[in-house]
Amino acid sequence: MSGKALSGNEGPKRRKGSKILLGTAILFLIVVITYAAMDIVSVNSWDRSKRQMATQGESLDFADFIPKRTPDERNFALAPIIASSYNFILDSNGNQILPWKTNINDRLSMSIYDDHSAIGEPGFHLEGWVVGEKTDLKAQQTYYRALARETNTFQVPPQPGNPAQDVLLALSKYDSNVDELKVACRLPDSRFPLNYGDILIFLPHLGALDTCSQMLNLRAVAELQNGQNQQALEDIETSFRLIESIRTEPFLISGSVRAQMLTETIQPIWEGLNGHEWSTLQLDRLKKDLQGFDFVSDYKFNTRGERAHNLREIESIRHVRRLAPYLIHAEIGADGQPELSYSNEVLKTARSIIYHSIPDSVFYQNEINLANIYQNWILPIVDPQKQTISPDAENAAAIEIRKEYGHFSSDKIFIRYFLPGVPNVTIHEAFAQDAVNMARIACALEQYRIESKNYPTKLDSLVPRFLNAVPHDVIDGHPFKYYPTNEDRFILYSVGWNKTNEGGRAALYSYRDNNDIWDGDWIWNGVGTTNEMPHP
């Protein structure tokens, strides 16, 4: 007889091992069945949610928000000077170029500063109108002269002269670029070549557009102060075209950049009105340009697009079972590849195990909750039909979102990566639309003054001769506060985000104080500004 006989205790050990294996298998089966049941329930709930929102006219499919393609020959975004802002990283189809090109000259980023110099930027802002301040061209002139002592980035005359003329001389380095840009502005359509099929969508053009807009606005201010009104108007309209070029992009960041660019572009308009430098025909053009802006409706579109993209990101995490690198504080390296903030292999392995152990139901519940937070709290903040943006609704949304983050819950675990900060964008969209509305009214008031030699006692007097209808304050839907003070000045303002009439005083409202526009009135002309207008 070959082999070895079993010892007395090996049989019980083997039976015990078999029981453990059987118990483990049963437990695994229970987990699988439980996960499957949870997944079925969750996916059915998610499908019901999508159908319910569809009946309300809501789409959660990001494909529905992707701007339509336009013929290349009509596309402003493909003009060579515009393409130079992104073709170091993206090709004409939006595909990422690897490695990134380092020999591309970004001709759209026409900066008014030298970013490589240790000399501090001059102490003025291109949105000084919000506190009633003209642009200090003397400060910019001094900056360029100081810069000329260490570099030839900007041209300066041997001796300082008229600040406006010296600033225009410094900016003349961009004259050929601006001429090319204005030719591109004749193209009727605009769709930047972004790869909307990717989860991580690069938006390199946004910074370049903003930088170019700043230069155009500074140039327009200098042209106004130099008596070149028509050139100033053309630069303002070019800046408007830059703002509109990204209107169809379904992202909150694109809307936020547009709002900031608009705020800065108002400055030369405001300065020209305060100096009575615009002609009636020029004012007609400005009114027509401004009437095309609808930040209320655009914010609604951006918010819906942002929601659809967020949901697509959660779906991507569910499929690939790892968090997108940019959501764990990764940085993008020079080669365009993500550089993860963690390098520990054990940690990476642990993350992978955790993500693979999460049932699909968790992702579906996160999608349901994310979609509902947008639907029930964020989207109602704005009303495109009434053209209002509600601070009360925004505050309620902020409270609700904070409450959702007050405790850990698996059905909200991924939401925290997307929602923080979303409601705060709303205030800048509201301010941008109020700025547009007040600018239109101010242009009409100037036309009334040119014709009648004084300002009207009521804004209704502008209809229908100078306005088809008087725009209202988007904060509460009520008329803007308006008081003529004499034949040459008036007070015009919104009650602002705090909905409190503070008599036309900007209070804490100043872009110099960390963009604090939460308190105080939003003024066009107000008390305590450089106009020194007494309250009636």
Side-chain angles (χ1 to χ4, degrees):
M1 180 176 178
S2 63
K4 182 180 181 181
L6 293 176
S7 63
N9 60 355
E10 285 186 3
K13 284 183 178 180
R14 182 170 295 181
R15 288 193 296 273
K16 183 178 180 181
S18 299
K19 290 180 179 179
I20 293 174
L21 288 175
L22 179 62
T24 302
I26 293 174
L27 179 61
F28 177 77
L29 183 62
I30 292 173
V31 170
V32 170
I33 294 173
T34 302
Y35 270 32
M38 292 168 58
D39 290 346
I40 292 172
V41 171
S42 295
V43 75
N44 288 337
S45 297
W46 180 220
D47 287 339
R48 283 196 302 271
S49 294
K50 288 189 286 189
R51 288 196 299 269
Q52 181 180 358
M53 289 190 182
T55 63
Q56 301 172 7
E58 296 288 342
S59 172
L60 303 180
D61 186 350
F62 185 65
D64 292 337
F65 298 91
I66 298 174
K68 295 180 180 179
R69 292 189 175 275
T70 186
D72 290 357
E73 65 273 12
R74 295 171 54 91
N75 193 351
F76 166 83
L78 295 185
I81 189 169
I82 309 300
S84 71
S85 69
Y86 59 77
N87 61 11
F88 68 96
I89 179 176
L90 301 175
D91 64 20
S92 60
N93 295 315
N95 297 312
Q96 186 181 172
I97 298 171
L98 293 175
W100 292 0
K101 296 181 179 179
T102 58
N103 61 340
I104 299 296
N105 178 22
D106 180 0
R107 294 182 294 118
L108 185 62
S109 296
M110 304 177 227
S111 178
I112 60 177
Y113 308 115
D114 186 334
D115 298 330
H116 303 291
S117 172
I119 298 176
E121 297 176 1
F124 78 90
H125 294 259
L126 282 168
E127 60 278 283
W129 69 272
V130 303
V131 287
E133 293 181 1
K134 292 180 64 176
T135 305
D136 185 1
L137 293 183
K138 178 67 176 176
Q140 190 73 4
Q141 177 194 44
T142 301
Y143 167 77
Y144 287 141
R145 296 197 67 80
L147 194 62
R149 289 194 288 269
E150 65 174 50
T151 178
N152 62 353
T153 304
F154 295 95
Q155 185 180 355
V156 298
Q159 298 296 325
N162 178 287
Q165 293 175 354
D166 285 3
V167 168
L168 289 174
L169 175 63
L171 297 180
S172 65
K173 64 179 289 186
Y174 299 127
D175 283 354
S176 61
N177 288 17
V178 173
D179 290 341
E180 184 180 351
L181 176 60
K182 289 182 177 179
V183 172
C185 286
R186 299 172 190 166
L187 298 174
D189 303 326
S190 181
R191 184 190 190 275
F192 281 83
L194 308 180
N195 192 344
Y196 288 99
D198 281 352
I199 296 300
L200 178 56
I201 301 175
F202 291 97
L203 305 170
H205 58 295
L206 296 184
L209 290 171
D210 188 30
T211 298
C212 182
S213 178
Q214 290 179 14
M215 190 282 298
L216 290 168
N217 296 328
L218 177 62
R219 201 170 93 144
V221 167
E223 288 165 338
L224 278 171
Q225 294 188 23
N226 200 41
Q228 300 170 271
N229 297 23
Q230 188 59 30
Q231 291 92 324
L233 177 60
E234 291 175 4
D235 282 346
I236 290 169
E237 291 184 324
T238 303
S239 186
F240 281 160
R241 182 68 180 96
L242 298 182
I243 297 170
E244 287 300 89
S245 70
I246 53 175
R247 186 174 192 171
T248 59
E249 292 183 1
F251 307 110
L252 281 173
I253 183 61
S254 298
S256 182
V257 169
R258 291 182 68 241
Q260 176 61 30
M261 291 169 65
L262 184 281
T263 301
E264 294 172 347
T265 306
I266 291 293
Q267 183 69 25
I269 300 175
W270 179 84
E271 292 199 22
L273 285 166
N274 270 12
H276 306 305
E277 297 174 67
W278 299 119
S279 70
T280 296
L281 292 178
Q282 289 170 337
L283 291 166
D284 276 335
R285 281 175 58 172
L286 286 170
K287 286 192 303 182
K288 182 179 179 180
D289 293 334
L290 289 162
Q291 191 171 4
F293 290 100
D294 183 357
F295 283 94
V296 179
S297 298
D298 293 342
Y299 176 67
K300 197 94 169 182
F301 169 76
N302 291 145
T303 303
R304 286 178 168 132
E306 189 80 13
R307 172 175 63 180
H309 189 254
N310 291 164
L311 293 171
R312 189 177 71 152
E313 288 179 291
I314 295 177
E315 272 295 291
S316 174
I317 298 171
R318 184 175 72 84
H319 283 292
V320 301
R321 293 296 170 160
R322 71 181 180 88
L323 202 58
Y326 60 94
L327 293 180
I328 50 176
H329 311 296
E331 296 182 354
I332 303 301
D335 61 352
Q337 295 300 307
E339 296 178 343
L340 302 185
S341 58
Y342 60 86
S343 58
N344 187 298
E345 292 298 324
V346 174
L347 180 57
K348 286 193 288 187
T349 301
R351 286 180 182 273
S352 178
I353 293 173
I354 291 172
Y355 280 115
H356 279 82
S357 66
I358 299 175
D360 283 355
S361 60
V362 170
F363 295 94
Y364 292 131
Q365 285 300 322
N366 272 263
E367 290 178 273
I368 292 171
N369 287 326
L370 178 67
N372 287 336
I373 288 176
Y374 269 99
Q375 190 68 22
N376 299 330
W377 296 100
I378 297 177
L379 286 172
I381 296 172
V382 301
D383 188 330
Q385 283 69 43
K386 294 181 180 179
Q387 279 289 294
T388 57
I389 298 179
S390 171
D392 292 339
E394 192 275 343
N395 184 57
I399 292 174
E400 178 66 16
I401 291 171
R402 282 197 298 269
K403 185 174 69 175
E404 293 292 338
Y405 295 141
H407 61 280
F408 175 83
S409 176
S410 63
D411 61 353
K412 302 178 182 66
I413 188 173
F414 295 108
I415 297 176
R416 69 180 63 232
Y417 290 109
F418 304 113
L419 279 182
V422 169
N424 293 335
V425 177
T426 314
I427 187 173
H428 297 285
E429 304 283 343
F431 176 70
Q433 190 59 51
D434 262 354
V436 166
N437 292 350
M438 289 191 290
R440 289 180 59 206
I441 292 172
C443 288
L445 286 169
E446 180 66 3
Q447 289 180 311
Y448 188 103
R449 186 200 65 82
I450 292 172
E451 189 172 287
S452 304
K453 309 304 180 187
N454 56 28
Y455 289 113
T457 57
K458 298 186 301 182
L459 292 179
D460 290 343
S461 301
L462 301 174
V463 180
R465 178 79 173 86
F466 304 105
L467 288 172
N468 292 330
V470 179
H472 61 247
D473 189 345
V474 300
I475 296 301
D476 53 15
H478 296 156
F480 287 101
K481 308 305 178 185
Y482 166 75
Y483 312 104
T485 58
N486 53 50
E487 64 180 21
D488 199 43
R489 286 288 180 260
F490 61 86
I491 294 174
L492 176 67
Y493 63 93
S494 157
V495 294
W497 199 249
N498 63 7
K499 299 172 60 179
T500 302
N501 184 353
E502 299 182 33
R505 294 187 181 276
L508 296 178
Y509 177 13
S510 170
Y511 268 73
R512 299 184 183 206
D513 296 327
N514 299 319
N515 291 338
D516 189 354
I517 55 177
W518 298 90
D519 295 304
D521 297 331
W522 294 352
I523 64 170
W524 181 269
N525 283 337
V527 176
T529 69
T530 54
N531 298 311
E532 294 300 328
M533 298 177 294
H535 193 282

